[in-house]
Amino acid sequence: MTRPEVPLGDRVNMAFMNTSVTRGRGEMIVTTTGMGTEMGHIANLLNKTEADKTPLQKQLDRLTMAIAALAGLAFILMVILGLRNGQALDAIFIAGVALAISAIPTGLPAVVTTMYSMGTRALAAQNAIVKRLPSVETLARSQPSAPTRPAR
């Protein structure tokens, strides 16, 4: 049996999961199962990776913060002007909250998801399948633009 500290490429007497054997005979001893195997090690490494936000998600976060800041500023301005004009605080507060809520675009996530799905469909037409929708944006950014035809 090979010691675990031996590098993977030097383990000449080990057969790993999905190893193809074309002929011969042999006896094997199972040394590890589950997360102790090389496949388990790879799965563990994949679970530890943090998903970075795509550039579009970062831009949407900045847009959301800007909209929230503007809505908050409008709310404060509305309360100050309403109190200065002698209006009741409860009426101003309810109107200000309604204004702040209406400033937030509720359809934005649906629009982004629709754009991702359109990109997925375009990639599927080119025989490429993606597992996660944000991957579509990353693939689209990394591909060179389509060649243009010269004008006639």
Side-chain angles (χ1 to χ4, degrees):
M1 186 162 80
T2 306
R3 294 188 314 269
E5 61 269 4
V6 174
L8 184 61
D10 293 337
R11 297 181 191 177
V12 294
N13 61 345
M14 301 287 285
F16 297 100
M17 183 175 148
N18 296 331
T19 300
S20 298
V21 178
T22 57
R23 67 187 108 169
R25 291 175 41 108
E27 290 184 24
M28 296 186 191
I29 298 173
V30 176
T31 58
T32 57
T33 59
M35 293 303 280
T37 63
E38 288 302 316
M39 294 298 281
H41 178 69
I42 293 170
N44 193 23
L45 289 175
L46 289 174
N47 285 336
K48 286 183 181 178
T49 58
E50 295 180 16
D52 290 336
K53 289 187 175 186
T54 65
L56 178 63
Q57 288 172 331
K58 291 175 184 176
Q59 287 176 347
L60 288 174
D61 287 346
R62 284 195 298 268
L63 176 66
T64 302
M65 292 304 291
I67 290 172
L70 288 173
L73 184 65
F75 172 76
I76 291 170
L77 187 64
M78 187 173 180
V79 169
I80 290 172
L81 291 176
L83 289 176
R84 198 170 102 196
N85 289 336
Q87 296 177 347
L89 179 63
D90 58 343
I92 297 170
F93 185 78
I94 291 172
V97 168
L99 174 74
I101 290 173
S102 67
I104 298 170
T106 56
L108 189 60
V111 170
V112 171
T113 303
T114 302
M115 296 305 291
Y116 278 155
S117 65
M118 289 172 64
T120 302
R121 181 178 293 215
L123 285 171
Q126 297 177 7
N127 296 326
I129 304 295
V130 291
K131 187 175 179 181
R132 286 178 252 147
L133 287 180
S135 303
V136 174
E137 178 203 354
T138 306
L139 285 172
R141 286 182 178 265
S142 65
Q143 284 186 339
S145 61
T148 56
R149 292 185 174 172
R152 293 185 182 197

